[in-house]
Structure formats: structure tokens, C-alpha cells
Amino acid sequence: MKNFALIGAAGYIAPRHMKAIKDTNNNLVATLDKCDSVGIIDSFFPEASFFTEFERFDRHIDKLRRDTSTKIDYVSITTPNYLHDSHIRWALRNGSNAICEKPLVLNPWNLDALKQIEEESGKKVYNILQLRLHDSIVALKEKVTKELEDNPNRVYDIDLTYLTSRGKWYFISWKGDEAKSGGVATNIGVHFYDMLTYIFGDVEENIVHLKTPYANAGYLKLKNARVRWFLSVKYDYIPDEIKAIGQRTYRSITVDGKEIEFSGGFTELHTRSYEEILKGNGFGLDEARKSIEIVSTIRNLTPIGLVGEYHPFCMKVINE
């Protein structure tokens, strides 16, 4: 049984990490969040210590570190994006491995520094890239790999569309602050970019067509794919037929005009991620790099407008 600590216990994604720790028969020893709305802990680890002040949490972890039976083996990090880098560094320097939500960091140079601290500490950083473990994506990866063996120069045409409606709170919270979240493409798109480069290869061209607080859209030329992408947190852009059935999220990936079905199958992916990490097979700094480079570039590019290979949903933004 491994000992875990969790930073960001009140966050939306934190319960999935608590469940993964429990499902893998490990123990959550200590948790931290400045917000004390953390009653969900009772459903998983009611005996876990909870702190709202980092200094007291730090002192507690240091005490545990001095006894091999209580030292923390892994620190799970589910804090706001801009704090990931700092919290990963803290975990490594306290003799623990780090398991961090995506995006691992906001900029690629942060990865270089973390690599150095990994080497100094002898500990590892793991990123939750659960789409790589989704059955539909695993099947797509296998299919594309086989097809590329027969035709290495094949180029697929892909449309990525992801709309996940957010209310007014979103732009008041840290998620609405680009300096803290990285913006729309980083906050809701980074795992899609990871999946696409994982399957279709390195980026050869990165173009942004539009960028607003509510939506980002652009074009990626990968080694073996042309990708038109559109990401948004605005309800108005969701197709009418999806609104009509009461849904506030729309997710679609087409490859050469064929829809890839992966609307379900997400509930156990964090547990599967933890299982792989505990076996030594988790995704580390190198695996995270390509997607971090993509979102960092998108953040710094100037939109060119609706020219070239733009996603058709861009017209929803232009015509509103």
C-alpha cells in the first residue's frame, strides 16, 4: 500500500483522483485546499488529514517524511493550472513522485526545469493523459499505425470539435484568466492535442484562425494529418439538435469524414491511469511536451482570420 497526499482537494477533478487511489488499494493520508468545501473526502478517505494552509500541510508532510512507514510516496495535484509547476517541484523536493492533472505546465520551458529536478531528486513526474487509455482511441491508434505501415505518407483529414458550456462563474474564476488557465485551448483542449500528436505525429504547422474569450479555432498540420479544430465554452455555439435534447456539451472527432465514437467510457480512466503509474508505465515529462508546445504556441500566435483551412464552426462566431 502506497501513501498519497492530494493538493487541490476541493477541485472538480479531485474526486476522480480520490477514487483512483482507493480503487488501487492505496491510502490518502493528507489533503490540502484553501477552500474547505471538501466533504467528498468522507466518501473515500474520512481519516485523511485536511489542511487549508500550505504551511501547516508542509509541516505535516515533513513529519511523515521522516518515518519510512508514513512518508508520502505520491503527491496528486489537481490545483489550478498555473500552480502545477510549483506544486510538482514541491512534491519532488519532499521526496515524493508527482501525479498531475493536465496541462502539466503552461509552457515548455517549465518542463526543462522539472526534468532537472527529477534528476536531482530521483523521483518522477506523471501526467494524467487519460485519452490515450480510452478504448476508442486505443483502437484508432492501432488502426492508424497499421495503415501507416502500408502507406507511411498517408495524410488524414480530421475535424475536432469540442464545446463544453460554462456559466458566468467560469470567467470570474481562475479559469477565465488566461495567465492562470492558459486560455480556452489550454484549459479544455490540451488532452485532445496530446491524443492527436500521439496518433498522427509531430506538428509541422500551427495556425490560429480566431481567438476570443469564449472560443479558439485553428489548423494543425501534423506529420500524417490535417486538423481543423474548434473549442468553445459558449452554449450558443452548440448545434441546435444537441440543445434540443438538453445537452450542454458537444464532442466530435471525424477522421476522413468518419465519426470516432468516444462519448462514454471515461469513468474509469483515472483509475486505469493510476494502475499504469503504479506499475511504472505512466506518462512522464517527455510524453507531455508536444501538447504543451502546441498550446503555448497557440497562446502566443496572432489569429489570421477566416482564411485557409478553417473549421466551419468559426462562422458561428463571425455571424453572432
Side-chain angles (χ1 to χ4, degrees):
M1 180 179 287
K2 300 295 185 181
N3 291 325
F4 281 75
L6 172 65
I7 306 177
Y12 166 77
I13 206 70
R16 298 191 194 180
H17 288 258
M18 296 179 198
K19 182 177 185 298
I21 295 167
K22 190 175 184 66
D23 287 347
T24 53
N25 298 313
N26 292 295
N27 189 30
L28 181 59
V29 175
T31 61
L32 169 70
D33 203 296
K34 66 179 183 179
C35 174
D36 61 6
S37 296
V38 291
I40 188 67
I41 296 173
D42 285 347
S43 299
F44 299 100
F45 296 97
E47 299 304 313
S49 298
F50 173 66
F51 300 86
T52 58
E53 295 175 323
F54 184 83
E55 293 79 5
R56 291 185 173 183
F57 174 76
D58 177 51
R59 180 179 62 186
H60 182 69
I61 298 300
D62 187 61
K63 288 179 179 179
L64 297 178
R65 182 170 64 87
R66 299 177 187 283
D67 185 334
T68 55
S69 67
T70 60
K71 70 181 290 292
I72 301 300
D73 300 293
Y74 293 87
V75 176
S76 298
I77 298 163
T78 61
T79 49
N81 299 347
Y82 72 107
L83 297 175
H84 289 175
D85 183 34
S86 177
H87 290 152
I88 292 169
R89 290 165 181 256
W90 177 87
L92 297 178
R93 287 172 175 156
N94 276 272
S96 303
N97 301 294
I99 301 175
C100 187
E101 267 298 335
K102 57 200 172 298
L104 191 65
V105 291
L106 293 180
N107 296 294
W109 52 86
N110 301 133
L111 296 173
D112 299 331
L114 290 178
K115 192 77 171 178
Q116 290 182 327
I117 302 172
E118 265 194 342
E119 293 169 358
E120 293 166 0
S121 66
K123 298 300 178 180
K124 291 284 293 181
V125 180
Y126 297 100
N127 197 191
I128 298 293
L129 300 173
Q130 74 268 35
L131 276 187
R132 295 193 185 201
L133 303 177
H134 192 286
D135 289 343
S136 295
I137 302 306
V138 170
L140 178 61
K141 169 73 169 173
E142 292 174 350
K143 174 178 179 292
V144 169
T145 298
K146 185 176 185 304
E147 290 172 349
L148 291 177
E149 288 175 354
D150 297 330
N151 182 8
N153 297 319
R154 179 170 178 175
V155 178
Y156 298 80
D157 287 307
I158 298 172
D159 277 357
L160 163 64
T161 315
Y162 181 49
L163 299 93
T164 178
S165 306
R166 296 291 184 261
K168 293 180 178 179
W169 67 268
Y170 183 92
F171 294 96
I172 302 301
S173 76
W174 63 268
K175 295 184 179 184
D177 183 344
E178 185 175 285
K180 294 181 177 181
S181 71
V184 169
T186 303
N187 207 34
I188 70 171
V190 67
H191 54 307
F192 290 110
Y193 302 128
D194 171 74
M195 178 268 289
L196 290 169
T197 54
Y198 173 59
I199 296 175
F200 297 100
D202 293 344
V203 176
E204 297 180 353
E205 188 176 21
N206 190 341
I207 294 171
V208 174
H209 290 114
L210 65 82
K211 196 186 299 182
T212 75
Y214 301 95
N216 287 182
Y219 170 83
L220 285 172
K221 174 65 174 71
L222 306 180
K223 180 182 179 183
N224 294 108
R226 294 180 289 261
V227 183
R228 301 187 301 182
W229 58 269
F230 182 92
L231 304 167
S232 177
V233 294
K234 191 168 185 177
Y235 176 75
D236 294 351
Y237 302 152
I238 289 181
D240 290 340
E241 63 271 20
I242 303 301
K243 294 178 183 176
I245 58 176
Q247 293 187 11
R248 295 178 58 83
T249 297
Y250 176 71
R251 182 191 295 110
S252 171
I253 295 180
T254 62
V255 178
D256 288 343
K258 183 178 180 180
E259 188 76 32
I260 304 300
E261 172 54 45
F262 69 117
S263 56
F266 288 90
T267 55
E268 299 302 319
L269 291 183
H270 275 73
T271 294
R272 289 179 59 186
S273 297
Y274 271 64
E275 288 171 347
E276 292 302 315
I277 289 168
L278 290 163
K279 289 190 293 187
N281 299 328
F283 304 119
L285 296 174
D286 292 338
E287 286 86 354
R289 183 174 293 276
K290 290 179 184 178
S291 60
I292 298 302
E293 289 175 343
I294 290 172
V295 294
S296 180
T297 300
I298 289 170
R299 200 178 308 125
N300 290 287
L301 283 174
T302 300
I304 66 169
L306 301 195
V307 296
E309 292 290 330
Y310 63 87
H311 193 290
F313 272 49
C314 290
M315 297 306 297
K316 293 176 177 283
V317 181
I318 300 299
N319 293 331
E320 70 174 347

